[in-house]
Amino acid sequence: MRGPHQERTRVGRDGRFELVEHVGSGGFGHVWRARDSVLAREVALKFLALDRLVGRRPNPERLAIVRDRFARESLIAAKVDSAYVARIYDCDIDGDEPFLVMEYVDGRPLSDYLGSRPLPLARTCRWSRQIAQGLAAAHDRSVVHRDIKPVNVLVREADSDVRIVDFGLSRFVDATETHSEAGTPLYMSPERCRAEPGDERSDLYSLGCVMYEMVTGWPPFGDEHAEAFALARAHEEQLPMRPGQAAGVPAPLDDLIMALLAKEPRQRPDNARVVVRAIAEVERLLGDTGPESSPEEGPADGAHRAGTGFADRLSAAELNVRHLTTQHGRDHHLVITARMELADLTGRSGDTRGAADLYDRIGRDCDDWYGPGNSLALDAFEGMARWVVARGTTGSQRTS
């Protein structure tokens, strides 16, 4: 498998691709940022780990079969056309290593945004809808991903939109007859856990797992340290705690996630376009149900409220934070101010939990950068306290 310190700088027919930077490694192989000398554009090259797929001493006939299958699967995946799917431009071979030529996405994986805390609801809905739209475009072409997970969703630096990567690779791995079944146990559907091929609704189950983690801060079952067998049993037999038990998750979003996590494929939404419409309806409820509210007042009736176009304002505020961070660095006072404005905007949309979490992160960062007791840190923790109070007020209104 091509390592990160490869001596050669050009690969492909006639040295078409110049290797620029090793981006990362994974179960399928290595990824490089490269320059296409023919079309004068940046691309990503994904080299496949043949030793995983065909063994360390494959015979020539076996290699030829795998290469042909790789070319066929690449051709199928290349037909997917969506703004939310990283395009596959070509496939090639360098020595014994086949590689994909893909759209280069300048951004970070969704997994970098996940942790022990939920994401703000507006961001959760936006990214979930975009993933569903990408899946819908793929499923229209009868292309199933089979390994939807946070590391296979990249968030672009330029506009904070997502791109799904690795379409076609899981199907290719499944077809190699090496017993190295593709998929990630934390996000694998019950039927895939049973080694069944699965279909479009398997992707929807995995999307449900990713959405669950976005709104709660943790996957529906286990963590990255859990045994694969135990995770498979959980996906097949257990029901996760409803995400709506975490305060602040709207009932329609809670119901949608639980529907996506249904054990039987036929009990899940019919297709990805149904999911897109359901998320869009949640976004409408978040964005069009009433006037803005202050931290002291909270949402007037316990629902998520915001003015018309609030989702666009949140997106613009997020981009402003990213741009200022690029220009000045994370610890600049302009970045901190922009993050506080984003936190307040999040709270006024009705996501009081999200606002409190954002302020808490700002306070912790300021503590680390400037030391405990710094005025910016104190301002941030005061902002967190305001939205915690607003959240508690909202919760009491819901239960009264």
Side-chain angles (χ1 to χ4, degrees):
M1 181 167 58
R2 180 172 297 274
H5 303 295
Q6 179 67 27
E7 293 181 0
R8 292 182 61 188
T9 59
R10 289 187 175 273
V11 297
R13 291 180 290 273
D14 301 320
R16 174 176 177 175
F17 302 103
E18 178 187 2
L19 300 179
V20 176
E21 178 188 11
H22 179 254
V23 177
S25 302
F28 289 125
H30 289 296
V31 182
W32 286 77
R33 180 167 65 91
R35 176 80 174 169
D36 183 342
S37 60
V38 174
L39 297 179
R41 65 181 174 187
E42 271 196 328
V43 295
L45 305 185
K46 185 142 198 170
F47 291 87
L48 273 294
L50 280 186
D51 55 351
R52 169 187 170 181
L53 302 175
V54 297
R56 295 191 177 277
R57 295 185 178 84
N59 59 57
E61 181 181 359
R62 174 68 173 162
L63 274 174
I65 291 173
V66 171
R67 289 171 186 155
D68 289 345
R69 183 174 291 135
F70 174 69
R72 290 198 304 272
E73 295 299 336
S74 301
L75 179 63
I76 293 171
K79 295 179 180 178
V80 179
D81 184 12
S82 169
Y84 306 116
V85 174
R87 294 296 306 271
I88 295 176
Y89 299 133
D90 200 354
C91 63
D92 206 335
I93 192 165
D94 181 57
D96 288 336
E97 291 182 287
F99 63 89
L100 284 175
V101 183
M102 304 170 7
E103 172 189 358
Y104 176 70
V105 180
D106 183 14
R108 296 187 291 155
L110 176 59
S111 54
D112 283 2
Y113 295 84
L114 300 176
S116 59
R117 298 169 180 268
L119 292 182
L121 287 173
R123 188 182 302 177
T124 293
C125 289
R126 180 166 177 256
W127 287 347
S128 298
R129 173 175 47 77
Q130 291 178 350
I131 297 169
Q133 286 177 266
L135 289 176
H139 296 167
D140 286 347
R141 290 284 189 170
S142 299
V143 178
V144 180
H145 192 287
R146 290 183 167 85
D147 196 18
I148 291 294
K149 57 186 178 181
V151 296
N152 280 339
V153 177
L154 301 181
V155 181
R156 280 170 41 102
E157 288 290 341
D159 54 16
S160 196
D161 284 346
V162 305
R163 297 289 189 277
I164 306 172
V165 299
D166 283 1
F167 262 104
L169 290 184
S170 295
R171 175 182 161 104
F172 168 65
V173 171
D174 281 352
T176 57
E177 302 175 3
T178 62
H179 306 293
S180 57
E181 181 181 322
T184 303
L186 277 175
Y187 310 96
M188 194 181 293
S189 68
E191 59 272 21
R192 293 284 293 158
C193 290
R194 295 190 294 268
E196 298 171 8
D199 58 15
E200 291 88 349
R201 290 167 296 184
S202 300
D203 282 349
L204 298 186
Y205 183 94
S206 298
L207 172 59
C209 292
V210 174
M211 291 175 64
Y212 190 102
E213 186 169 0
M214 284 195 276
V215 300
T216 64
W218 56 82
F221 304 108
D223 56 30
E224 67 272 15
H225 304 297
E227 293 289 338
F229 175 76
L231 288 171
R233 288 289 299 271
H235 283 296
E236 292 178 59
E237 300 175 2
Q238 298 178 19
L239 285 176
M241 178 184 73
R242 293 188 70 98
Q245 290 181 241
V249 178
L253 183 59
D254 178 61
D255 292 339
L256 173 62
I257 293 172
M258 293 305 294
L260 289 167
L261 294 178
K263 303 301 181 187
E264 293 296 327
R266 65 177 181 273
Q267 296 176 346
R268 297 170 203 155
D270 290 339
N271 53 61
R273 297 201 183 280
V274 172
V275 178
V276 172
R277 291 195 293 270
I279 297 173
E281 177 61 18
V282 175
E283 289 181 301
R284 187 191 68 78
L285 292 173
L286 290 175
D288 295 326
T289 55
E292 298 178 22
S293 57
S294 68
E296 291 75 17
E297 296 168 348
D301 60 0
H304 290 274
R305 292 189 174 276
T308 301
F310 219 86
D312 291 338
R313 293 171 61 190
L314 284 165
S315 178
E318 290 176 358
L319 286 176
N320 185 47
V321 171
R322 295 164 75 89
H323 292 158
L324 290 173
T325 302
T326 301
Q327 292 174 3
H328 304 291
R330 294 182 60 216
D331 58 351
H332 196 277
H333 70 92
L334 288 177
V335 176
I336 297 169
T337 299
R339 289 175 63 187
M340 289 185 180
E341 291 172 353
L342 172 60
D344 275 326
L345 200 60
T346 299
R348 292 199 301 273
S349 77
D351 186 4
T352 54
R353 180 192 65 181
D357 284 345
L358 289 174
Y359 263 121
D360 184 40
R361 295 182 196 182
I362 297 169
R364 291 174 184 272
D365 285 343
C366 290
D367 265 353
D368 291 339
W369 296 330
Y370 310 123
N374 177 269
S375 61
L376 287 173
L378 294 176
D379 288 345
F381 288 129
E382 182 182 342
M384 179 189 70
R386 289 199 309 270
W387 286 111
V388 167
V389 170
R391 178 180 172 185
T393 302
T394 299
S396 64
Q397 289 172 345
R398 273 199 296 267
T399 58
S400 60

